[in-house]
Amino acid sequence: MTDVDWDVRHSTMGYVFMLHSAAISWSSKKQKSVALSTCEAEIMGASEGAKEAVYLGALAEELDAHDGSALDLFVDNKAAIDLAYNPEHHQKTKHIQRRHFYVRELVEDLQITVPFVASADNLADFFTKPLKSKQFVAMRDIIMNVAPDDESPAIAPLTLPRGG
């Protein structure tokens, strides 16, 4: 999942990759260039996330843990998703630098898909913006694979034998 908190200067982008309900890779950083629109900021963030997806996909294939099928890169901005799938050069996107369309090349090569995820369900929000405490704790627990307080722990605590 990728997300961007668009700002008038350098936006904050973040991504998180999950494997079997556990985060295996994540990042949060300021974008290197100023985005002129939310769509541009999101496509820039998706392209950064796509780089990590390619790396993780290759690593998984090397470990015989992935069959080479397209990986899902969830994005919560429909304009950025449309841009990832539509190779037309639109008037509103002509200012976006070519290097930010890496995600489009991966979609065309069938290496990734870019499905929509609702903002409320996008775990990458955790890495891009301040959240209300309830949402912060819920996302933190999902990302860190921690069971809610009312359930048993995901991993049983280690108990050592007494005496010797």
Side-chain angles (χ1 to χ4, degrees):
M1 296 181 184
T2 67
D3 191 42
V4 174
D5 185 23
W6 185 57
D7 197 355
V8 291
R9 292 193 180 249
H10 298 276
S11 303
T12 302
M13 64 88 38
Y15 60 74
V16 60
F17 287 89
M18 307 290 288
L19 178 66
H20 301 295
S21 302
I24 59 169
S25 179
W26 58 89
S27 175
S28 177
K29 60 184 171 184
K30 291 282 187 183
Q31 291 181 331
K32 293 180 181 179
S33 60
V34 175
L36 301 177
S37 67
T38 56
C39 178
E40 180 180 5
E42 291 281 354
I43 202 73
M44 289 166 60
S47 289
E48 287 296 316
K51 290 182 207 176
E52 186 71 4
V54 167
Y55 166 74
L56 292 173
L59 177 63
E61 283 182 39
E62 191 172 315
L63 299 172
D64 290 327
H66 182 60
D67 60 4
S69 60
L71 300 170
D72 292 332
L73 183 68
F74 291 93
V75 175
D76 64 1
N77 183 282
K78 289 185 179 186
I81 293 169
D82 291 343
L83 198 53
Y85 283 99
N86 189 349
E88 293 182 22
H89 189 72
H90 296 286
Q91 184 70 14
K92 292 182 179 180
T93 61
K94 67 182 182 183
H95 63 280
I96 300 175
Q97 294 180 9
R98 175 74 180 133
R99 67 186 181 93
H100 299 308
F101 288 110
Y102 179 61
V103 66
R104 180 189 293 170
E105 291 176 15
L106 295 176
V107 167
E108 289 173 354
D109 291 342
L110 303 176
Q111 293 185 41
I112 67 168
T113 61
V114 187
F116 177 78
V117 62
S119 292
D121 299 325
N122 190 346
L123 296 176
D125 270 3
F126 183 82
F127 299 100
T128 61
K129 58 187 69 86
L131 302 170
K132 293 181 180 178
S133 62
K134 186 175 181 177
Q135 188 179 15
F136 173 86
V137 169
M139 285 190 173
R140 179 202 64 192
D141 289 350
I142 292 169
I143 291 167
M144 296 181 68
N145 199 20
V146 174
D149 290 334
D150 59 311
E151 294 181 19
S152 60
I155 299 173
L158 179 64
T159 56
L160 299 174
R162 294 182 183 227

